[in-house]
Amino acid sequence: FCTLCLQECLKPKKPVCGVCRSTLSPGSRALDLEKQIETTETTCNGCNKKMYLSKMRSHAASCSKYQNYIMEGVKAVTKEPLHNTRNFPNRFTFPCPYCSEKNFDQEGLVEHCKTLHSMDAKQVVCPICASMPWGDPNYRSANFMEHLQRRHRFSYDTFVDYDADEDDMMAQVLMRSLRDK
């Protein structure tokens, strides 16, 4: 994670995991892992220079050949942007399905519903799921609060490229994994 994203996850009011957004409990440093990172050697995919994993991040930031290598991969999986953006659903802000409040981000909607609507048994459509390519805008969840807590503990944006074709992405991943050996 970059520093800004990690700091966001570690806010004092409620530190959460950067991937699944579960609450973090205090822990200790993984000294064995730190030692392994300090002593494991790797090769830069751009310039083929050997170095320890602990030095790779700073090297990658200044290695133009590595940055070209990354851009090749990005170009391989990036499609031409579509010119008509009006047909794209809003996947960043959502209305509350129980009341008239709008413009919640995913985490805000979950918190709002937990705080104000936790006892409401009315069957509603999940606005987050309805905005997804696979979502059904007519499906009413039998237990919306349970659905929110199980299905929306993390943001889809972390894991999903909505515009990429799944078969193309899989082919690119396989090609890069063979090339990276």
Side-chain angles (χ1 to χ4, degrees):
F1 297 100
C2 69
T3 304
L4 289 175
C5 291
L6 191 55
Q7 286 174 344
E8 183 68 27
C9 292
L10 297 176
K11 281 184 177 174
K13 68 176 187 173
K14 59 171 190 174
V16 295
C17 170
V19 176
C20 71
R21 303 293 192 248
S22 296
T23 303
L24 293 177
S25 57
S28 59
R29 290 176 65 127
L31 298 176
D32 56 334
L33 183 59
E34 286 183 15
K35 181 159 179 65
Q36 190 175 356
I37 291 171
E38 290 287 333
T39 59
T40 302
E41 222 174 25
T42 189
T43 304
C44 172
N45 286 325
C47 67
N48 294 321
K49 180 179 176 183
K50 287 190 177 275
M51 68 199 71
Y52 291 110
L53 282 175
S54 59
K55 305 293 183 199
M56 186 63 194
R57 182 171 294 187
S58 60
H59 172 78
S62 62
C63 178
S64 61
K65 290 182 179 179
Y66 180 79
Q67 292 167 6
N68 289 339
Y69 166 78
I70 294 298
M71 288 312 296
E72 284 177 30
V74 169
K75 287 177 188 171
V77 297
T78 303
K79 292 185 175 181
E80 288 285 321
L82 299 174
H83 298 291
N84 185 3
T85 58
R86 277 186 244 148
N87 295 333
F88 289 102
N90 176 3
R91 295 189 182 110
F92 302 104
T93 59
F94 309 98
C96 173
Y98 292 113
C99 65
S100 60
E101 286 198 56
K102 294 180 178 8
N103 297 323
F104 290 106
D105 63 4
Q106 181 172 314
E107 187 177 316
L109 179 64
V110 171
E111 287 299 316
H112 167 82
C113 289
K114 278 174 31 179
T115 304
L116 298 177
H117 305 294
S118 63
M119 303 308 271
D120 197 329
K122 181 174 135 189
Q123 291 187 354
V124 294
V125 174
C126 176
I128 300 167
C129 290
S131 72
M132 299 300 157
W134 57 86
D136 180 354
N138 300 311
Y139 177 76
R140 295 183 179 281
S141 179
N143 186 339
F144 183 64
M145 293 309 299
E146 183 72 20
H147 167 82
L148 278 180
Q149 291 173 0
R150 289 185 183 269
R151 187 75 176 213
H152 300 296
R153 290 173 60 183
F154 66 91
S155 174
Y156 286 115
D157 294 339
T158 308
F159 301 101
V160 177
D161 178 357
Y162 301 109
D163 298 323
D165 178 84
E166 190 172 347
D167 292 333
D168 290 344
M169 284 180 16
M170 185 60 76
Q172 290 300 324
V173 167
L174 290 172
M175 284 177 33
R176 286 192 61 117
S177 70
L178 293 172
R179 197 172 22 172
D180 289 348
K181 281 189 174 183

